[in-house]
Amino acid sequence: MATEWRKTSFQGVRYREHPTRKHGIRPDRYYVITYKLDGKTKTEAVGWASQGIKPAECYELLAEVKRNQRTGTGPRTLEEKRKEAEAARSATKQQAISFEYYFRGHYLPEASRRKNPETILTEEHYARIWIFPALNEKPMAEIHPLDVERIKNSILDAGRAPRTALQALAIFRLVWNHAKKRGLLDRESPTRNIDLPKVNNARTRFFSPDQAEQLLKLIEVDDPAAYRITLAALYTGARFGELAGLTWSGLDLSGKRITFLHTKTGRPRSCPIAKRLCVVLSELNRGNPGDHVFVNRDGKPWRECPSVFRKALKKLGLNEGHTDRRDILVFHSLRHTAASFMMAAGIDPKTIQELFGWSTMQMLARYTHVLDETKHKAVQSLERALEQPSSKIIQFSRGKVLGIK
């Protein structure tokens, strides 16, 4: 390729000719501009004549960078000018990205590497059924509170529970913050500016020891694989997804400890293994570190709650006469049961919080219940105190009771 630089009629604009390639009837020309920057000579390429570059246009570019140098505004070099143009193109492209495009192309691939597969399936389901249709390909940069209200209203108008709306909006907020953290958005999630539906998820029922044992016996006879994951749920208080995702690398039978890597909060946690559960797990053939501990009767990982669990509930009639969803016993009630009995046994709340992986103590209050027997004892103690005429209550000036004599 020729290396001889030739001047044009425009000062500071030069070119060299391609040794073989033609542009029209003459050799193709490669244009550059030369100027001073901070006392040093700088040469920058503009492009080929075959790309539409003309000497006059090169001179205009040269005049622009020189003017910017004098005024101290705008790009001082072609390189800076190109970077600004690329940033503008990128910003325009980002502004046009829809929620669905970002969810599928950016959020989902990254989240799938760190979240439980069951969680990913749930998030994808809510986004596909409720969020995408309500936003209708609207660019994320143009989404405002009214659009989020549309998501909420579409769920409630369909007769779904407020909890469903809250879940959908929580997923929207997760994806929005994911995009904001990566520089695509520069404002807070519009979910902050709408009224969220109020939900009371506190469960009012859980299994008694007799009910739990009857349930386990029925399941064990029908499906030993379902029995194992049900027993584990009762004796660890783990969520179904955490147990379904447990691999042999997280099970230490010699140390009697289970470590859940894929948790709802994203933070691994471990808990001791009860003797009864340890015996059952010891009977299994240990798999490879990445193999699932709990598999169904076909040897495949669990994808949903065992059907025999629901059949056993129905056979025992444990949900008969109960219509409020908070009163219905489900697989997750095993977790409530475990937390409730620990609480009734006097285990301190902080320990229960850590064992069950709750991020706040408020979550513990939602999931625990005081046993009826404990309630009766509390009322009986009050009754005994009130029925003793000679009882004397010692009280501090601030209203705190010290004791009864």
Side-chain angles (χ1 to χ4, degrees), residues 130-273:
W130 301 114
I131 301 177
F132 300 160
L135 296 179
N136 194 27
E137 293 295 323
K138 190 170 188 177
M140 292 186 75
E142 298 177 13
I143 295 176
H144 296 287
L146 284 176
D147 301 299
V148 181
E149 285 277 4
R150 192 179 303 115
I151 298 173
K152 180 188 74 173
N153 293 337
S154 68
I155 296 172
L156 298 179
D157 290 345
R160 298 304 178 93
R163 176 61 184 169
T164 303
L166 280 181
Q167 182 77 353
L169 297 184
I171 293 169
F172 175 94
R173 185 170 58 252
L174 275 176
V175 178
W176 183 281
N177 290 339
H178 188 275
K180 181 175 181 290
K181 186 176 181 180
R182 285 153 181 78
L184 180 67
L185 301 166
D186 59 1
R187 57 190 173 93
E188 298 299 327
S189 169
T191 55
R192 298 183 60 172
N193 300 313
I194 68 170
D195 295 326
L196 299 177
K198 297 187 180 300
V199 176
N200 181 4
N201 275 333
R203 294 277 175 175
T204 58
R205 293 180 67 219
F206 57 98
F207 295 101
S208 69
D210 289 341
Q211 290 172 338
E213 194 59 39
Q214 291 172 0
L215 188 73
L216 288 170
K217 287 180 179 179
L218 283 178
I219 295 174
E220 184 178 17
V221 172
D222 197 1
D223 187 348
Y227 166 75
R228 286 190 287 270
I229 194 170
T230 304
L231 183 73
L234 182 62
Y235 276 84
T236 64
R239 303 174 180 91
F240 173 78
E242 294 168 346
L243 292 168
L246 179 67
T247 59
W248 284 100
S249 62
L251 187 59
D252 179 10
L253 289 176
S254 59
K256 293 182 174 57
R257 182 166 292 276
I258 294 179
T259 299
F260 298 106
L261 298 178
H262 301 290
T263 65
K264 185 177 180 179
T265 60
R267 294 189 295 269
R269 75 174 190 280
S270 62
C271 68
I273 305 176

Side-chain angles (χ1 to χ4, degrees), residues 358-386:
W358 286 306
S359 55
T360 65
M361 294 297 287
Q362 285 79 4
M363 291 295 295
L364 177 60
R366 277 181 53 192
Y367 283 87
T368 56
H369 322 270
V370 181
L371 298 174
D372 287 340
E373 182 181 352
T374 307
K375 291 180 181 178
H376 284 304
K377 287 182 178 179
V379 173
Q380 288 170 0
S381 66
L382 172 62
E383 185 179 29
R384 285 194 301 269
L386 294 174

